Amino acid sequence: MTRPGAYRPLHPLQGPRVALGLIAAWLAVGGLALGASKALLPTKDIAIEILPTWGTQPLMLGGEQGTDASGAAVTVSRLDFLLSGVALRGEDGTWLPSKDWFACIRCDQGKRTALLEGVPARKFTAIRFHVGVEPVVNAADPGARGPDHPLNPLMNGLHWGWSGGYVFLALEGRYQKRDGSFEGYSFHIANDANLMRVELPLALDAATAGTVRLAFDVEKVFRGSKPIAFARDGNSTHSREGDLLAAALKQNVEAAFSIKSITTDRFQNVASVPAPVTGHKATPFPLQISARFPQVAVPADNVPSVEGVALGERLFHEARLSKNNAQSCASCHDRAAAFADAERAFSVGVAGIAGTRNAQPIFNLLWQQEFFWDGRAKGLRNQTLLPIQDAHEMNESLDRVVAKLAHDERYTTQFDKAFGGSEITAGRIGLALEQYLHTLISQESKFDRAARGEVKLSAQEQRGLQLFVTENDPLRGLKGADCFHCHGGNLFTNGSFMNNGLAFEAGDVGRMSVTQLAADRGKFKTPSLRNVAVTAPYMHDGRFGTLEEVVSHYDHGVTRSDTLDPNLAKHPTDGLGLSADDQAALVAFLRSLTDDAFIGPPQNRTLAAAKDP
């Protein structure tokens, strides 16, 4: 059975496709592909992503955003449509069609991506597809489709049941009448005569492309070459024969698509519609999460919006969250250090008191549920409020923070834009900070670019990667650094709590302080190694100042104890015995995990600017 939105290669593959294991794929990044793995992958899979907009802005479902051709305010509450028959035009002018390719786009559910499988690794100059389905498919029994097929009625909600046939595109919402009241509209484009065809020029190198983004501009549906005015054209069409409104909408829809971008990465289909609030509109924040990362679920009750992220970013830099109005979250989390506290073993709070643990960097928090080195905080929205109240950090009460912000009209306006209603509460502060922090996604290091085929790791970095993913097993002739057990996967962390062989410090038992279990003594959260080159000093207490010291610790400095992680305890008591060159290679590979775009100026990152309203 094929996956929803991912149907049939553009041409038959020659021989079987092989799914590489993660370690083999990592080695291939450095040009060290195992055996003939590369030869078994003659084609690429490319994602087709639809970005609904109103003009140049993301489409806001449920909020007034624009007007029809006569100036009547328009709200869009539903935008669903079917795509089929995608084809690519080669440089020689011939078209390469797909077979049985369908996609269901449902904006209210965040379903905006479909996979085009088996694209030959060559260059193409145009793309074409249908909005809707061809007559033979339109007349077929929809119940014969699998439960996860885009044409299954329960998947798309676009089949007309006993009447037969599909709605090709459904556009619904409200508009403002001349007397100021609002009334609903329902545009359903259907029937074989209204099958829409779109053709767009593009410069696509399938050897490197990962995602083709197509913008769909709803403003052009209303204000295109066939302008639509509710007062003149009506508020409903079901595309019956001779329906002039359906014909006009068809022409406008065909012209509403454009090429937005072509990227080398593929991205997850993340739900991006903020939870509706009566009378409140919020702009979906364009989260971009690599499909190479584990699938992630955004909290359904706090999906990031542009307004919420902007508020959270401003709060992150707000010194009034502290008792002396002089320290913000950003004071101890510097963007240039991947939001760690650069060069400090322990951050200093408002009372001049140093903390007891190293400030962790902040990124890729969507994949975490437990926070701090010992995991004592559950949920990011709860974690964000604890440093405010900690005597070693901001040393302020939440009630006083709320009171200070409530006297600032700019904040009441921003809270209204973000959440609907100007009330400021500690809970809303936590939600706004959570939204902002969830957008801090680091996925553009040299390693990532190498994984996408844009660059190659150096010979030294390749050697470091090979050591990183090779188990140390002298009996079987394997000599590696064995890093991947704890730092495996594209997040470079297992998200667990482990004893990594540090000598115990009096008074800090780690995870045991939370669980009260002796088996957790000396266990601390496994940090991600992304951006590790810029987050010194290292470990929960900042005891190591350089990556070289860290590598040296794992090579021959591990302290044995009852709770030492088995993957370290199995190593020879006299250490791994890595050569100086091997240790240098490991450091070189770790430096390739630095995401310069993430740690650079804000304009280099996909973040909403926290500006005053």
Side-chain angles (χ1 to χ4, degrees):
M1 180 183 297
T2 47
R3 300 191 302 277
Y7 298 101
R8 304 292 177 89
L10 284 168
H11 71 123
L13 294 179
Q14 304 301 313
R17 301 189 67 180
V18 175
L20 297 177
L22 180 59
I23 292 177
W26 274 7
L27 291 176
V29 168
L32 301 173
L34 302 182
S37 297
K38 285 187 176 180
L40 295 175
L41 294 171
T43 62
K44 287 286 297 294
D45 294 344
I46 297 176
I48 306 295
E49 182 179 0
I50 306 298
L51 302 177
T53 68
W54 188 285
T56 59
Q57 299 300 313
L59 180 67
M60 294 186 302
L61 291 181
E64 294 175 25
Q65 193 169 16
T67 65
D68 71 358
S70 66
V74 176
T75 296
V76 176
S77 59
R78 181 189 184 192
L79 175 60
D80 297 344
F81 51 91
L82 298 173
L83 300 178
S84 67
V86 69
L88 296 172
R89 187 178 67 198
E91 291 183 302
D92 62 358
T94 60
W95 286 92
L96 189 64
S98 60
K99 181 180 179 182
D100 296 333
W101 186 90
F102 305 98
C104 174
I105 306 301
R106 300 192 68 171
C107 295
D108 63 330
Q109 297 183 11
K111 295 179 179 178
R112 300 182 290 105
T113 303
L115 195 62
L116 188 57
E117 295 182 325
V119 181
R122 54 189 180 88
K123 295 180 180 181
F124 298 92
T125 61
I127 184 172
R128 72 184 183 197
F129 53 87
H130 289 126
V131 181
V133 295
E134 294 185 325
V136 65
V137 177
N138 204 26
D141 178 11
R145 304 290 183 178
D148 61 349
H149 195 284
L151 297 186
N152 184 295
L154 297 181
M155 279 291 293
N156 59 56
L158 290 171
H159 196 268
W160 262 336
W162 290 340
S163 298
Y166 289 92
V167 175
F168 299 158
L169 183 145
L171 179 62
E172 301 171 5
R174 299 194 314 158
Y175 71 97
Q176 190 171 31
K177 299 170 66 177
R178 289 173 178 171
D179 62 5
S181 64
F182 283 86
E183 189 168 310
Y185 68 89
S186 177
F187 294 161
H188 292 170
I189 307 177
N191 297 326
D192 295 340
N194 291 316
L195 179 63
M196 292 159 276
R197 184 176 183 273
V198 178
E199 182 175 323
L200 301 169
L202 84 170
L204 174 65
D205 185 349
T208 58
T211 300
V212 175
R213 288 196 169 105
L214 303 178
F216 180 72
D217 187 354
V218 180
E219 183 179 30
K220 290 183 178 179
V221 177
F222 287 97
R223 303 172 67 89
S225 61
K226 296 288 185 180
I228 306 299
F230 292 109
R232 180 192 65 222
D233 301 311
N235 61 351
S236 178
T237 175
H238 289 85
S239 302
R240 292 179 174 86
E241 186 176 353
D243 188 329
L244 297 180
L245 176 55
L249 287 167
K250 171 188 175 182
Q251 184 169 324
N252 287 352
V253 167
E254 290 176 330
F257 288 91
S258 63
I259 302 294
K260 180 71 172 179
S261 64
I262 299 174
T263 69
T264 57
D265 209 349
R266 283 184 18 214
F267 300 92
Q268 296 185 28
N269 199 10
V270 180
S272 59
V273 181
V277 178
T278 302
H280 171 242
K281 61 180 180 180
T283 308
F285 186 89
L287 276 176
Q288 297 179 6
I289 301 175
S290 174
R292 293 176 297 104
F293 279 14
Q295 290 290 310
V296 68
V298 176
D301 63 344
N302 198 32
V303 176
S305 67
V306 170
E307 296 81 4
V309 171
L311 172 59
E313 186 169 15
R314 184 176 177 190
L315 288 168
F316 188 82
H317 293 84
E318 177 56 74
R320 281 175 287 182
L321 299 188
S322 64
K323 188 171 184 176
N324 65 356
N325 300 320
Q327 190 169 40
S328 68
C329 304
S331 299
C332 299
H333 294 283
D334 179 12
R335 178 175 60 240
F339 292 91
D341 198 357
E343 306 302 327
R344 287 180 181 268
F346 305 117
S347 300
V348 176
V350 295
I353 302 173
T356 58
R357 289 181 181 154
N358 184 253
Q360 293 180 299
I362 298 176
F363 54 83
N364 298 347
L365 301 185
L366 266 171
W367 290 267
Q368 297 185 34
Q369 300 300 322
E370 298 173 304
F371 298 91
F372 295 113
W373 282 103
D374 55 18
R376 64 185 181 274
K378 311 295 182 184
L380 185 55
R381 67 192 64 173
N382 301 318
Q383 184 279 333
T384 60
L385 301 179
L386 296 181
I388 297 173
Q389 305 167 79
D390 192 294
H392 291 85
E393 299 187 56
M394 296 180 178
N395 195 26
E396 183 59 290
S397 72
L398 296 177
D399 288 343
R400 281 175 51 85
V401 168
V402 168
K404 284 189 275 188
L405 299 183
H407 282 92
D408 188 333
E409 185 178 346
R410 296 171 300 172
Y411 268 117
T412 57
T413 299
Q414 276 196 277
F415 272 90
D416 182 34
K417 289 182 176 180
F419 298 113
S422 59
E423 181 184 15
I424 299 177
T425 66
R428 281 184 159 189
I429 291 172
L431 291 173
L433 285 167
E434 180 181 74
Q435 285 195 32
Y436 167 62
L437 295 174
H438 275 167
T439 69
L440 300 181
I441 298 170
S442 180
Q443 56 191 7
E444 288 296 322
S445 66
K446 181 180 180 181
F447 170 84
D448 297 298
R449 297 194 302 277
R452 301 197 300 265
E454 297 177 25
V455 298
K456 288 187 177 181
L457 299 181
S458 69
Q460 187 182 42
E461 291 164 342
Q462 291 177 30
R463 173 59 180 161
L465 170 57
Q466 189 170 45
L467 289 165
F468 188 94
V469 299
T470 301
E471 194 167 10
N472 191 278
D473 190 347
L475 289 178
R476 292 168 177 79
L478 295 176
K479 189 176 184 62
D482 211 353
C483 308
F484 69 95
H485 279 110
C486 303
H487 297 283
N490 281 317
L491 294 176
F492 287 90
T493 174
N494 60 10
S496 187
F497 299 88
M498 314 184 83
N499 179 339
N500 65 339
L502 297 176
F504 290 148
E505 292 290 336
D508 194 349
V509 295
R511 180 70 169 161
M512 180 180 171
S513 64
V514 176
T515 66
Q516 302 302 308
L517 298 175
D520 285 333
R521 184 169 185 262
K523 292 184 178 181
F524 295 89
K525 192 166 191 176
T526 304
S528 172
L529 295 183
R530 286 183 171 274
N531 300 303
V532 69
V534 299
T535 62
Y538 304 106
M539 307 300 169
H540 66 279
D541 54 8
R543 69 178 65 189
F544 298 135
T546 67
L547 286 176
E548 286 77 8
E549 290 178 297
V550 173
V551 171
S552 178
H553 162 74
Y554 287 113
D555 179 61
H556 57 266
V558 171
T559 298
R560 304 268 164 171
S561 69
D562 291 341
T563 61
L564 178 64
D565 185 76
N567 287 297
L568 294 175
K570 71 180 182 181
H571 292 162
T573 55
D574 57 350
L576 299 177
L578 298 177
S579 68
D581 286 345
D582 282 348
Q583 292 187 48
L586 269 175
V587 171
F589 170 67
L590 293 175
R591 294 187 185 280
S592 79
L593 302 179
T594 301
D595 185 343
D596 291 325
F598 180 77
I599 65 176
Q603 62 265 26
N604 292 336
R605 296 177 292 118
T606 309
L607 290 176
K611 297 180 180 179
D612 291 342

